[in-house]
Amino acid sequence: MVGAVEMSLYEAIRTRRDVRAEFTGEPVDDAVLWRILEAAHCAPSVGNSQPWDFVLVRNRATLRKFAAHVAEKRLQFARSLPPERAATFDPIKIEGIEESGTGVVVVHDDARGGPHILGRASVPETGVYSTVLAIQNLWLAATAEQIGVGWVSFYDAPFLAELIGLPAGIRPVAWLCIGPVTEFQRTPDLERFGWRGRRALADAVHYEGYDAGREQ
Ligand SMILES: Cc1cc2nc3c(=O)[nH]c(=O)nc-3n(C[C@H](O)[C@H](O)[C@H](O)COP(=O)(O)O)c2cc1C
């Protein structure tokens, strides 16, 4: 297990990984988890609506049930792929639900803050963007604590909502597997396994307009 280290923000950004296979099986320390959640809770939000909540799941039976559901969704996705992509996908692990021992389900309440959310009137998605920013804060803080995070999105939202007893109107945005790790991979799994690599920044930056040339 790697220990907590002093880390600059840029270093946390550079070394953050989506973790699946490297969880030690030890639970994340409660005080550390709380610090990570405090970082998530510091996120910016449209109209200061703070539309997120965090459902912590450690019950073994619940983790197992969710993992079984995710396995089924993984199979469905694999079956939808052409043979060559299916072969590339086959060895890729997509979750560490049981191994991490802790699930943090980040959920979103679009009604939080009432009907007049300052800044959300023209772009309704800004509500859920805010919850996603809390996730990014959580992910970077966990990295600074040398704690692994793996985002799982292979699920049907109604299944997960029922599993953790979400009231109507509150929707899951992410299941995050959180726990100590043996190591952080240097290269994203999807790149290591040949699924998809990173784009160059220069390909993502546009000048003055999307189609108007790029800097030479
Ligand atoms: C919205 C979102 C959903 C994701 N869902 C999954 C998932 O279901 N399973 C998985 O293994 N990784 C998932 N990931 C992780 C990505 O595969 C990962 O971020 C990407 O391959 C880049 O790797 P890195 O995070 O290690 O840099 C998800 C990431 C995001 C942002």
Side-chain angles (χ1 to χ4, degrees), residues 16-18 20 93-95 139 151-154 187-190 198:
R16 181 209 54 78
R17 276 280 76 75
D18 186 80
R20 299 118 183 196
K93 195 167 160 57
I94 53 121
E95 52 82 17
W139 211 337
W151 186 321
V152 184
S153 56
F154 281 71
T187 308
D189 278 14
L190 297 195
R198 293 193 77 87

Side-chain angles (χ1 to χ4, degrees), residues 201-214:
L201 172 61
D203 293 340
V205 178
H206 306 249
Y207 295 89
E208 311 301 346
Y210 197 87
D211 287 328
R214 297 167 185 276

Side-chain angles (χ1 to χ4, degrees), residues 74 77-78 81 84-92 94 154 195:
R74 184 188 199 285
F77 178 66
L81 295 170
E84 185 219 331
R85 288 305 264 168
T88 307
F89 180 59
D90 187 56
I92 298 177
I94 53 121
F154 281 71
W195 181 264

